[in-house]
Every structure is written in C-alpha cells, then in structure tokens.
Amino acid sequence: MHEEEAFKKSFDAKLARRILKYVRPYWKQVGLALLALVVSTLTAASTPLFLKYAIDNAIVPREVLPLAQRYETLLLVCAVFLAVRVVDFIANYAQTYLISWVGQHILFDLRSEIFAKLQRMHLGYFDRNPVGRLMTRITSDVDAINQFITGGLVGLIADFALIIGLMTFMLVLDWRLALVAFAIMPIFLAVTTWIRGGMREAYRAMRLRLSRVNASLQENLAGVQTTQLFNREPKNEAQFNLLSSDLRGAWVEIIKWFALFFPLVGLMGEVTVALLLWYGGGQVIQQAITLGLLVAFTDYVRQLFQPLQDLSEKFNIFQAAMASAERIFGLLDTKEEVADKPGAIPVERFRGQIDFEDVWFAYGRRGEAKPQGTEPGDEGKEVEAAGLEVIEPTTPEEGEWDWVLRGVSFRVRPGEKVALVGATGAGKTSVISLIARFYDVQQGAVKIDGLDVREYRQRDLRRAIGIVLQEPFLFSGTIASNLRLGDESITLERIEEVCAFVGADEFIKRLPQGYETVLHERGGGLSTGQKQLLALARAILHNPDILLILDEATANVDSETEQKIQAALERVMQGRTSIVIAHRLSTIRHVDRILVFRKGRLLEEGSHDELLKKGGYYARLYELQYVHGGGA
C-alpha cells in the first residue's frame, strides 16, 4: 500500500529541486545540450518556410518567371534546406548524446550513493526492510530518476520550446490562420486530461500488481526446494497464474488507453488540417493568401500535434519519478543509527578485554520487526517445570521495548576463551552483535579494553574482530579473492599457510584450479564443512585480536569434518580472546569459562565442571541434552 500511495502523488517541486542537485556538477554539458536544443527547435520551425518559399517563388509563382529562374530558385531552396537539415542532425545528435551522457552519470552517482548508504546502515535496518525492496531502490527507482532527467525534464523543455517556436512562427506568418489552427486546442486539452487520468490509474494498478508478481516470484524461487518436497508445484503455479492474470489485465487496461489516445490525437490533428483547408483554401481562391502559406501551415499543424501528444507521456514519467524520488530520498535520509562519533578514536590493535556493564538491549520497540532467532524460544520449559525460578528484572521502559538482554554484566579477560550457552532467544547472538557494534545498546555499555565501543571507529573495531558464522557467506569469485576480501596485501603464500593451519588446503588442492577456482553464488558446489573451513581461514587471515564464533560453527557437518573444524578452532583460539556460541554442550568443555543465559539475562558462569557441580540451570540443560537425550 505504501507503493500505491506514493504513486498517487503529483509533481513535487521540492523533490524535483533535490533531483536537480545531481545535475549541477554537469552544468556545462547541460548548457551545451540546451544550446543544441535551441538550434534544433529553430531548424524544425523553419522547415515549412522552405515549402512556402519554393511553392510561392518557383512552383506556383504569382508572377510569370522564366523557367530557368524557377529551376534555379528550386535548386537554391533545396540546397539551403539540406544544409539546415544537416545542422538539425548535428544539433539533435549533440542534444541526445549530451543528455544521455548526463543521465548515465547521474544514474551512476545515485547508485553509488545508495549503495554506500546501504553499506553504512546498521543490521537493524535490514531486519525491517526486505532485500527485494532495497534492490528496487537501486535499480528501477534510480532508472525512473534517469528517465525523469533524460526523457521527462529535458523532453518537456524540448516539447515546450518546439510548441512555442511553432506557434510563434505561425502567428507571425498569418495570425488568422493561426487562430483557426488553435481553435481545437481546448477540446484537445479536455480529451488529454480525461485520458491522462485513466492512464494514471491504469499505471498505478499495473505497478501494484507487478510488485505482487515479483514478490511471489522471489518467494517461490527462494523456496523451490520446499515446494518440490511437499509437491506444491500445481498449487503454487495456480497462485502465480492468478497474480500474473491480474497483471495482464492491468496491462490490457493500459493498452486500451494508449489505443484510444493516439488515434484521438491523430484525429484532432486531421480535423485541424481540414479546418485549415476549408478556411485557408477559400483564402487562396480569393487570392488573399498564397498556396505556399497554406501548405506551410498544414506542415506546422502536423508538427505541432507531435509534442502535444508527447506531453501526456512526460506526465507519466513525472509521476513515476516523483514516487521513486520519494522512496530514494527516504532511504538516503534514513538516520544511521550506528555511526562514528565526531572524533572517533582510531586504534591499531586491541588487548582483547571485553566488558558488559549493565547492558539492556532491544532490537526494537514492541511490534517492530526483529531478526530471526531473537524471539524467545520454547527450550528450557522443562527447567522451569523442575522448579528453578526465573527472575526477570524490569525497567521504566519495560512496556515500550522488547528487551533481548536485561541488565547483563560480565568481563572477558584478554586471551580468555568463553562460551555462551542458553536456549534459542536467550540473547547469545545479541552479545556477539553488540561486541562488533552491529547494534547499539539502549542502556549500559559494551567496552573493549576499557573504552566504550561507540568511541572507536567502526572500521578499526571490526578489523580487529574475526567472526565465523554458522552459515558463512561466500561471494562469487575465486577462493583466493574470497579469502582476501579486497586486501591485496595478503599474499598467496600467506593464504596457503593459513589454509594449511585450519585444514582447508586438502580440499582446495583437489579443486581444478586450486586457489583460483571460481566459486558460484554463495559458494555453490562446496559442502557446508568446506565453507566453514574457508570462513575460518578468512577470519584468521585478517589476524583478529578477538574471535567470535556464532551458533555452533560445526552444527551442520559430518563427524570427520567436525573433528577437523574443532581442531582448527582450538589452534586458532590459542592466545586470542575468543567467544563461542554453542548449542551442543560437549563441544565447549575446553573453554576457560561458560556464561549461561536465560531469557536475556546472565544466569550462571563458571567452568564446565564447576557448573555441573553447582547443579543449576546449566547442569539441568546438560542432563536433559545428554542423559535423557542420549547424547553423552
């Protein structure tokens, strides 16, 4: 519905001025294009004058002239006419090229600005905005702005310039014939206003239904495995065909208006020509005007209706551009909630001490979208049933925020290996996100080496942190480029050394081109374990001071690969401050300390043996998972 309302908005001068700011750096090219436009307008408006002169002075002269003189006049008129058309060709070429050049540069500038903005946005923004919507901003919405500059705005200026030029020439030549030609204009304006309204509604319906088709297509392509698994192909096809049928109906409605508009405009043009022939022909018979003047006016009328016809199309371009501009500038104006402070502190290396001091954190207010996996889960109900009391502190804002972390305080010493344990939705991943400053806390502070992470430059902070995800992301490109991630100072020898260290070199050497093997989208063709090893190697290559391992990096691999990854992780964590999130408690016995989370608060902490002896929440979880579950 937001898309629909935005499209209904009419021309907005404020938005137009903001779009024109992107034109300002190219004012020289625009100035040359407008000069070429003036030349093109004058040459177009002068064309009928050649017809008039040739007819009145050579073909049907009022005075008897020698045949040779008439041929000479015709030859001269043709030569000058061709010269003027050559000038017109050059002017049109220059105008079209320059405006298109400016449009493409503006397109580039806008795309770059939007992409840079998206790169700076904190992760919470992407939690609330679907990827498909953001891709539309940088593709079709930016293209609509380009159409506004090249086709809409400049085209509108060209059309108005041509209309004014033609009408001026007509009035100067003969104001009576000009008034006859202009007599049908009120009817033309009324008809085009009516058709324009119908076309606007048709376009609005088409864009709305097109967005539904695109959303359905994206969803079905993303979930094709589930579709095939549950044999939903016929049902999904029927649903998609229904949406596609609605889109077809919207396009047919648009075609209906176009099919009506162009013949109607053409008919009114012919009516104007008929009026000219009736009135002007009588004037020629009475010898009040020349035949050449009547022919020239007929040509002027035919030229006049073309830009008038184009104005309705320009209006649709303006409508689409205003809607797109509103969405684009809405994105660009969005506050960067996680941004560097003025005078943010640069840092080369961290010792690795991490402090959480009474941290209260929520992804958003109640009812707002949150990342998947941050909602409280059902795990641990058996613990409550066993009689362990869960005390949940409150704050004055308790009713406003959906708290994920509640008054969390702990310290991780430099070089210490710490594991985070708890049910789904307990707040473990949120701890990792706050250390890397993907989000900012609402209350309290997250500190590294005694200083709030908000005081550091984000670039330096994240350069010192290595993160290994449960589902690592690999870009299209070679294995080497995925490991370097743009840091060309990392040599191939260093890459091979690190891959051998984590155990990834074995499978890489078996690939056709080794480290230069090109990966498909998201690392297609590699197993989950191979992707995990590459992600681990990538994290180590950039020599982080703090290593964060999210959500059981070995959860989706076979036993043999799990052993390789676990061995690599133990080697990598030596001497580094490391935080591991784990669901399988057997994988974290080697850590120095375990922090146990429950419903957003830190419930227990200690070593594996200490927590088992304590007999609390962790011991109960361990018993449920490995004794009753048969996992131990």
Side-chain angles (χ1 to χ4, degrees), residues 298-323:
T298 304
D299 195 31
Y300 274 126
V301 168
R302 294 189 182 279
Q303 287 195 56
L304 182 62
F305 271 83
Q306 184 59 49
L308 288 172
Q309 194 177 55
D310 291 342
L311 287 179
S312 289
E313 184 180 351
K314 302 297 186 298
F315 179 82
N316 289 327
I317 292 175
F318 273 51
Q319 284 281 107
M322 291 304 103

Side-chain angles (χ1 to χ4, degrees), residues 222-238:
V224 66
Q225 185 176 6
T226 303
T227 297
Q228 294 177 357
L229 181 64
F230 289 92
N231 297 314
R232 278 185 55 91
E233 293 93 338
K235 187 172 182 179
N236 286 11
E237 183 179 351

Side-chain angles (χ1 to χ4, degrees), residues 16 107 174 180 218 285 386 392 419 421 458 469 476 488 492 573:
L107 204 66
D174 192 297
V180 172
Q218 181 183 8
I285 292 172
E392 297 191 21
V421 171
Q458 293 181 70
L469 303 173
S476 299
E488 296 302 324
L492 183 59
M573 288 191 292

Side-chain angles (χ1 to χ4, degrees), residues 207-259:
R207 288 171 64 90
L208 183 63
R209 295 174 191 181
L210 179 61
S211 66
R212 291 172 180 170
V213 168
N214 288 338
S216 175
L217 180 61
Q218 181 183 8
E219 184 178 61
N220 278 281
L221 290 177
V224 66
Q225 185 176 6
T226 303
T227 297
Q228 294 177 357
L229 181 64
F230 289 92
N231 297 314
R232 278 185 55 91
E233 293 93 338
K235 187 172 182 179
N236 286 11
E237 183 179 351
Q239 292 175 345
F240 182 80
N241 286 343
L242 182 63
L243 294 173
S244 186
S245 176
D246 288 342
L247 178 60
R248 179 188 61 194
W251 272 112
V252 169
E253 184 70 12
I254 291 172
I255 292 168
K256 182 192 79 174
W257 286 107
F258 266 106

Side-chain angles (χ1 to χ4, degrees), residues 204-508:
R204 180 192 61 78
M206 181 275 292
R207 288 171 64 90
L208 183 63
R209 295 174 191 181
L210 179 61
S211 66
R212 291 172 180 170
V213 168
N214 288 338
S216 175
L217 180 61
Q218 181 183 8
E219 184 178 61
N220 278 281
L221 290 177
V224 66
Q225 185 176 6
T226 303
T227 297
Q228 294 177 357
L229 181 64
F230 289 92
N231 297 314
R232 278 185 55 91
E233 293 93 338
K235 187 172 182 179
N236 286 11
E237 183 179 351
Q239 292 175 345
F240 182 80
N241 286 343
L242 182 63
L243 294 173
S244 186
S245 176
D246 288 342
L247 178 60
R248 179 188 61 194
W251 272 112
V252 169
E253 184 70 12
I254 291 172
I255 292 168
K256 182 192 79 174
W257 286 107
F258 266 106
L260 180 64
F261 176 68
F262 289 104
L264 264 179
V265 172
L267 176 62
M268 284 185 283
E270 300 306 324
V271 170
T272 304
V273 171
L275 287 174
L276 275 176
L277 288 175
W278 172 75
Y279 176 79
Q283 294 293 301
V284 171
I285 292 172
Q286 298 174 21
Q287 296 186 346
I289 63 172
T290 64
L291 177 62
L293 181 62
L294 179 60
V295 173
F297 259 83
T298 304
D299 195 31
Y300 274 126
V301 168
R302 294 189 182 279
Q303 287 195 56
L304 182 62
F305 271 83
Q306 184 59 49
L308 288 172
Q309 194 177 55
D310 291 342
L311 287 179
S312 289
E313 184 180 351
K314 302 297 186 298
F315 179 82
N316 289 327
I317 292 175
F318 273 51
Q319 284 281 107
M322 291 304 103
S324 295
E326 186 178 34
R327 293 190 287 263
I328 287 173
F329 294 134
L331 189 158
L332 293 176
D333 293 340
T334 301
K335 181 182 177 183
E336 296 174 21
E337 296 181 24
V338 178
D340 288 341
K341 290 184 176 181
I345 300 172
V347 64
E348 288 294 329
R349 307 296 301 180
F350 287 110
R351 290 187 300 111
Q353 178 174 304
I354 300 172
D355 290 285
F356 271 56
E357 297 181 354
D358 192 28
V359 169
W360 289 78
F361 171 68
Y363 287 100
R365 290 175 171 82
R366 295 191 181 278
E368 291 183 348
K370 291 173 282 296
Q372 186 177 7
T374 60
E375 293 288 354
D378 293 330
E379 293 88 341
K381 286 185 178 179
E382 299 91 343
V383 178
E384 290 182 352
L388 292 178
E389 183 182 5
V390 177
I391 302 172
E392 297 191 21
T394 60
T395 68
E397 293 88 358
E398 181 70 28
E400 178 183 2
W401 296 93
D402 276 333
W403 295 113
V404 177
L405 295 178
R406 305 163 182 265
V408 173
S409 297
F410 64 84
R411 169 173 290 180
V412 179
R413 293 178 291 275
E416 188 178 14
K417 297 186 289 294
V418 173
L420 307 183
V421 171
T424 300
K428 307 182 299 297
T429 304
S430 301
V431 169
I432 301 294
S433 297
L434 292 176
I435 294 172
R437 207 192 164 199
F438 292 138
Y439 303 87
D440 279 339
V441 300
Q442 279 78 26
Q443 296 182 36
V446 178
K447 296 181 178 181
I448 295 180
D449 291 352
L451 195 62
D452 196 310
V453 293
R454 290 170 286 196
E455 300 296 328
Y456 294 116
R457 290 195 314 197
Q458 293 181 70
R459 182 181 183 87
D460 295 335
L461 172 67
R462 291 170 187 158
R463 186 174 55 207
I465 295 175
I467 300 182
V468 181
L469 303 173
Q470 183 176 356
E471 296 181 3
F473 188 92
L474 296 176
F475 295 91
S476 299
T478 65
I479 289 179
S481 67
N482 263 282
L483 295 175
R484 287 192 181 98
L485 281 186
D487 188 351
E488 296 302 324
S489 66
I490 299 176
T491 64
L492 183 59
E493 290 74 17
R494 174 62 178 161
I495 291 175
E496 292 173 346
E497 178 186 349
V498 170
C499 287
F501 179 71
V502 301
D505 61 328
E506 294 181 17
F507 82 85
I508 294 175

